[in-house]
Amino acid sequence: MWGSLNLKQSTHRKESVHRRNLTIATVEGIPSVIFQTLIGGQFLTGFLLYLGATSGQLGFVLAITTFVNIGQLFVAFFIQKIRSRKWAFVIFGTIQRLLWGATGLAPLLFPERYWVAAYLGFYVAAFMFNTVVAMLWSSLISDIVPSRVRGRYFGIRNTLVNGLGTLFLFLGGMLLDQFPGGQGFLYLYIVVWICIGANIVTFFFYPDLPFERSGESKFIPMLQKPLKDGSFIKSTGFIAGFLFLQNLVVPLYSYVMLELLDINYKTISLLNVTQTLFMMGSFYVWGNLNARYSNRRLLWWTMPLIALAILSWGLLSAFPVLPVLFFAHAAFGIGLGGFNQLAFNFMIGDTPKAERPMYMAMYSAITGVASFFGPLIGGKMYEWISDWPEWMQVFGMQLAVGVLMILLAMTLGRKILRDE
């Protein structure tokens, strides 16, 4: 009897600790998503233009965020040597957050001719540290969230934090409309710094869980582990190819809408919010489906949805512009929400625990390179077809890429991402 009672008490304590850790991870995500919303997307573009950046400098900023993921290969080896993942996360996370916040100090600390250079310096440094922070957080969260609830938990967490991010997307836009120019960005960065401070405080509440280290002690043998895993490398290579095609057109949607369709910024913001809302709504659904079906199978299901969303731009040939664009953004949000959530679950759930950091780093490096070159080549392709018929520039690229994505998903994708 007493043994049974102690077992129940032990199980209850274990469940309470798990619940507390999940709550901490959720609370930490709230200020993180809010401040990243306010310094990214349309706010990043607007602030850089206010600082005097050129289109080339803007393109560099947008591209560098994925290219630096190659550095995670070395970070995965580095974290095998540290004593505590939590305190490394606290230290590097604090530095990274402060660097992100420092981007807003460029107009206050430097003469105007150095504003853009100062911003780029802080921004690149922040993303260099981000390679360490992202790896440490992914490693921690994979141990914090039990595998049996992983799908539902991330569905609920992503819905909550992205919902608040969408709210601040609205509020930030209203703030800049009310206070244009430097004054508006000053107020925006005050909110950013408050959120950064709150975010840093939450780091200290993360648990310092035991770390199952790799069986390899040298870099090259550790690097070879995921490379020799045929199933993993095929899946990652296929996902990278799919992302490359997607990024040929999706990052350039704003260019098409602004330059070719003559749509105003307010409408584009509403389209982006629509995409985010549908993405949020899909998180919980994909999370529940993940409790019944594997990461691989569901990841494959998202791909035709994303391709069809891109193909739907072809409806512009027969229907009014705005209804088509709202439908295309909504459908893309549903597919993208599932893809991002399931790709993350694939990294932390379908890989060997002891070798997981290097597996995650390899995934990030390969898909990061694909995501880097996609928009660069896509932008060049739009330059090449600038003299072609207008319909080809507005939705012809989307049709061509969408067809290739469908073919890729229904052939190689069906074979590679099948359940093992």
Side-chain angles (χ1 to χ4, degrees):
M1 176 179 176
W2 292 112
S4 175
L5 180 60
N6 289 335
L7 180 61
K8 289 180 180 179
Q9 289 175 340
S10 176
T11 302
H12 178 70
R13 283 196 298 270
K14 188 175 181 180
E15 289 178 352
S16 297
V17 170
H18 277 317
R19 191 171 289 111
R20 175 180 176 274
N21 291 341
L22 294 178
T23 300
I24 291 168
T26 302
V27 171
E28 184 272 323
I30 292 172
S32 176
V33 167
I34 291 173
F35 90 76
Q36 289 181 63
T37 297
L38 296 178
I39 64 171
Q42 64 196 57
F43 302 114
L44 180 147
T45 302
F47 188 55
L48 275 171
L49 292 175
Y50 164 72
L51 296 180
T54 64
S55 58
Q57 290 168 326
L58 180 59
F60 172 79
V61 168
L62 295 175
I64 196 65
T65 58
T66 55
F67 192 72
V68 295
N69 284 341
I70 295 174
Q72 290 193 12
L73 294 171
F74 302 99
V75 175
F77 177 73
F78 160 73
I79 67 171
Q80 302 291 331
K81 310 298 181 182
I82 60 177
R83 291 178 175 271
S84 168
R85 285 180 297 173
K86 171 189 173 174
W87 292 110
F89 175 64
V90 170
I91 293 169
F92 283 96
T94 299
I95 295 171
Q96 179 224 30
R97 265 40 174 183
L98 293 176
L99 284 168
W100 259 340
T103 58
L105 300 178
L108 302 178
L109 299 178
F110 300 92
E112 186 173 350
R113 63 183 181 276
Y114 297 123
W115 285 359
V116 175
Y119 181 95
L120 292 175
F122 288 131
Y123 193 83
V124 171
F127 269 93
M128 296 287 285
F129 278 92
N130 189 62
T131 60
V132 182
V133 176
M135 178 61 63
L136 288 168
W137 184 84
S138 297
S139 178
L140 273 173
I141 203 71
S142 67
D143 290 338
I144 288 172
V145 184
S147 58
R148 67 182 184 278
V149 300
R150 197 167 281 154
R152 285 198 175 97
Y153 169 74
F154 283 114
I156 294 170
R157 182 183 187 270
N158 290 340
T159 301
L160 174 62
V161 299
N162 280 278
L164 289 169
T166 303
L167 173 62
F168 276 81
L169 182 65
F170 268 121
L171 296 176
M174 292 173 60
L175 181 67
L176 290 182
D177 283 340
Q178 185 68 29
F179 303 100
Q183 185 179 9
F185 284 112
L186 174 62
Y187 294 154
L188 204 68
Y189 266 94
I190 289 173
V191 178
V192 166
W193 272 98
I194 292 171
C195 290
I196 285 174
N199 195 204
I200 291 172
V201 170
T202 60
F203 291 165
F204 290 86
F205 292 92
Y206 266 87
D208 198 5
L209 300 177
F211 182 28
E212 186 175 337
R213 302 178 190 278
S214 170
E216 301 290 347
S217 58
K218 296 183 178 179
F219 177 71
I220 297 300
M222 195 182 297
L223 183 70
Q224 290 175 337
K225 288 280 189 177
L227 291 174
K228 291 180 178 179
D229 188 334
S231 176
F232 169 80
I233 210 69
K234 286 179 183 177
S235 300
T236 301
F238 169 75
I239 292 169
F242 191 85
L243 286 172
F244 171 77
L245 290 175
Q246 175 182 302
N247 284 313
L248 286 174
V249 291
V250 173
L252 298 162
Y253 278 179
S254 294
Y255 165 78
V256 174
M257 290 186 287
L258 286 169
E259 297 295 324
L260 303 177
L261 295 176
D262 199 27
I263 297 174
N264 59 44
Y265 285 100
K266 181 179 179 181
T267 303
I268 293 174
S269 295
L270 289 174
L271 288 168
N272 289 331
V273 167
T274 298
Q275 178 178 306
T276 304
L277 290 174
F278 275 86
M279 183 171 66
M280 286 164 41
S282 75
F283 285 143
Y284 186 72
V285 176
W286 289 113
N288 281 332
L289 288 172
N290 204 193
R292 298 174 57 190
Y293 302 104
S294 71
N295 295 319
R296 290 171 177 267
R297 179 185 295 191
L298 290 176
L299 192 56
W300 177 62
W301 288 3
T302 67
M303 292 180 174
L305 283 176
I306 292 173
L308 288 171
I310 292 173
L311 279 171
S312 66
W313 277 67
L315 296 173
L316 291 171
S317 61
F319 296 96
V321 171
L322 289 182
V324 170
L325 292 183
F326 274 103
F327 173 80
H329 279 74
F332 186 71
I334 295 170
L336 185 65
F339 183 91
N340 289 342
Q341 185 164 303
L342 292 159
F344 183 73
N345 289 350
F346 165 72
M347 280 194 296
I348 68 173
D350 294 359
T351 53
K353 186 176 181 181
E355 309 298 335
R356 190 168 292 156
M358 186 57 76
Y359 271 76
M360 290 189 295
M362 185 63 68
Y363 176 91
S364 297
I366 293 173
T367 57
V369 169
S371 298
F372 173 77
F373 284 106
L376 292 183
I377 295 174
K380 283 294 182 184
M381 291 174 70
Y382 271 103
E383 290 181 7
W384 296 337
I385 66 172
S386 60
D387 295 328
W388 291 24
E390 187 177 359
W391 70 268
M392 187 63 193
Q393 299 178 60
V394 171
F395 59 83
M397 278 271 290
Q398 285 87 326
L399 288 176
V401 170
V403 169
L404 288 175
M405 292 171 74
I406 286 283
L407 292 174
L408 190 65
M410 301 309 293
T411 53
L412 285 177
R414 189 174 186 178
K415 180 180 179 181
I416 293 174
L417 293 178
R418 67 179 183 270
D419 290 335
E420 295 183 323

